[in-house]
Amino acid sequence: MNALASIGIVVLAMLIMASLQLVPGVFALFFHYARGKYSFKKASSLSLFFILGSEIISALFFISSFYVSYILFLNDLDPRNNVLTWIFIGVFLSLSVACFFFYYKHPHSKQDTELFISRKLARNIDARVQSAKTPSDAFAIGALSNVCELPITLPLYIVTATEIMYMHTEYFADNIMTILYILVSSIPLIYLYWRFRIGQNLATIQRSRIKDKSFSCLAISLSFFTIAILIICFRIF
C-alpha cells in the first residue's frame, strides 16, 4: 500500500504541475508578441527555446530536491517519519486553501486571468517578453517564468523526489515516474504551441483560459488537499 500511496502522491503532483497557469500564460504572450514581430518560423523557433528553458530549470529544481532528500536519508533524517512530515502536511493544506482563494487575483472575473504574482513582477515579465529577440532571451524567459511559481512548485518537487526515492526500493517504475514528472509541465506549453501552429490567436486562447480557470483552480486545490490526506493516512498512522 505504501508504494500505491507514493504513486498516488506523484500522480497528484503531476496533475498540479499540468494545471498551473503562470508559465502557460507567459508562453501564450511570448508567442503572440514573437509572431507579431517576426516570421512565423522564427516565432516558432523562439517558442521552442522558451519551452526548453522552462523544462531545464524544472529538471534542475527536481534533481536538486532529489539530492536534498537523499542527503537527509543518508543522515538518518527520514523526510517521511519526523517533524518534516508534519511541516509538509501543513504546507500542502495551506497551499490548498491559498490556491483556491488567491491563485487568481479575480477568481470570479470573466475578463482576465491575473494570477497571484505582484503587478510589478508581471510588468517586468511582460517587458522581457516584448523585448525578446534571441533564443537566449526566450530560454531565459522560460526559466524565469518557472522560477516565479516556485512558492507553489518547490514543495511538490521535494515531496515528489522523496516519494520517488522510496519507490526505488518498493516499485520498479521509479525512473519512469521521474521522467514523466519532469516532462509533464511541458504538456500545457506543447498544447499551446500546437494551437498557435494551427492558426489560433491569443484572443482565442485567452477565452479558453478564462473559461477553464475555475476548473484549474479547483483541481490544484483538491490535489494539494488529497496529497496532505495521503501523507497523513500512509505516513503518520
Side-chain angles (χ1 to χ4, degrees), residues 201-220:
N201 56 29
L202 181 63
T204 302
I205 291 172
Q206 185 67 2
R207 283 196 296 269
S208 65
R209 293 184 70 232
I210 291 173
K211 180 180 178 181
D212 296 339
K213 72 177 187 177
S214 296
F215 174 79
S216 298
C217 188
L218 184 61
I220 294 169

Side-chain angles (χ1 to χ4, degrees), residues 54-95:
S54 177
E55 281 305 290
I56 287 181
I57 200 69
S58 180
L60 288 175
F61 284 136
F62 179 82
I63 292 170
S64 298
S65 299
F66 187 91
Y67 278 108
V68 168
S69 298
Y70 186 68
I71 290 170
L72 290 174
F73 178 74
L74 289 180
N75 288 277
D76 296 323
L77 295 172
D78 187 339
R80 304 194 305 179
N81 292 314
N82 56 35
V83 68
L84 291 176
T85 301
W86 285 107
I87 291 175
F88 276 106
I89 291 170
V91 167
F92 286 124
L93 289 176
S94 298
L95 284 171

Side-chain angles (χ1 to χ4, degrees), residues 35-121:
R35 192 168 67 172
K37 293 188 296 182
Y38 309 115
S39 67
F40 192 84
K41 181 179 179 180
K42 183 173 181 179
S44 297
S45 175
L46 290 175
S47 297
L48 291 176
F49 277 97
F50 180 107
I51 295 173
L52 182 63
S54 177
E55 281 305 290
I56 287 181
I57 200 69
S58 180
L60 288 175
F61 284 136
F62 179 82
I63 292 170
S64 298
S65 299
F66 187 91
Y67 278 108
V68 168
S69 298
Y70 186 68
I71 290 170
L72 290 174
F73 178 74
L74 289 180
N75 288 277
D76 296 323
L77 295 172
D78 187 339
R80 304 194 305 179
N81 292 314
N82 56 35
V83 68
L84 291 176
T85 301
W86 285 107
I87 291 175
F88 276 106
I89 291 170
V91 167
F92 286 124
L93 289 176
S94 298
L95 284 171
S96 176
V97 174
C99 287
F100 186 79
F101 290 104
F102 306 115
Y103 188 68
Y104 288 99
K105 283 186 176 293
H106 309 289
H108 303 297
S109 172
K110 296 182 179 180
Q111 302 297 325
D112 63 65
T113 54
E114 287 187 14
L115 296 174
F116 62 93
I117 61 173
S118 69
R119 291 304 89 196
K120 181 179 180 180
L121 179 57

Side-chain angles (χ1 to χ4, degrees), residues 10 16 24 33 35 53-54 74 94-95 101 107 145 190 193-194 209 233:
V10 174
I16 295 172
Y33 285 125
R35 192 168 67 172
S54 177
L74 289 180
S94 298
L95 284 171
F101 290 104
S145 59
I190 294 172
Y193 178 81
W194 171 77
R209 293 184 70 232
C233 292

Side-chain angles (χ1 to χ4, degrees), residues 17 20 23 50-66 139 142-147 150 153-154 156-158 178-186 189:
M17 294 294 290
L20 294 174
V23 180
F50 180 107
I51 295 173
L52 182 63
S54 177
E55 281 305 290
I56 287 181
I57 200 69
S58 180
L60 288 175
F61 284 136
F62 179 82
I63 292 170
S64 298
S65 299
F66 187 91
F139 185 96
L144 174 63
S145 59
N146 206 305
V147 170
L150 268 183
T153 58
L154 184 58
L156 290 174
Y157 287 128
I158 296 174
T178 299
I179 295 170
L180 287 175
Y181 185 80
I182 292 174
L183 293 178
V184 72
S185 60
S186 68
L189 303 183

Side-chain angles (χ1 to χ4, degrees), residues 131-168:
S131 62
K133 298 178 180 178
T134 64
S136 60
D137 291 337
F139 185 96
I141 295 169
L144 174 63
S145 59
N146 206 305
V147 170
C148 291
E149 213 152 33
L150 268 183
I152 294 175
T153 58
L154 184 58
L156 290 174
Y157 287 128
I158 296 174
V159 76
T160 305
T162 301
E163 295 301 328
I164 290 177
M165 181 183 68
Y166 278 88
M167 285 165 60
H168 178 72

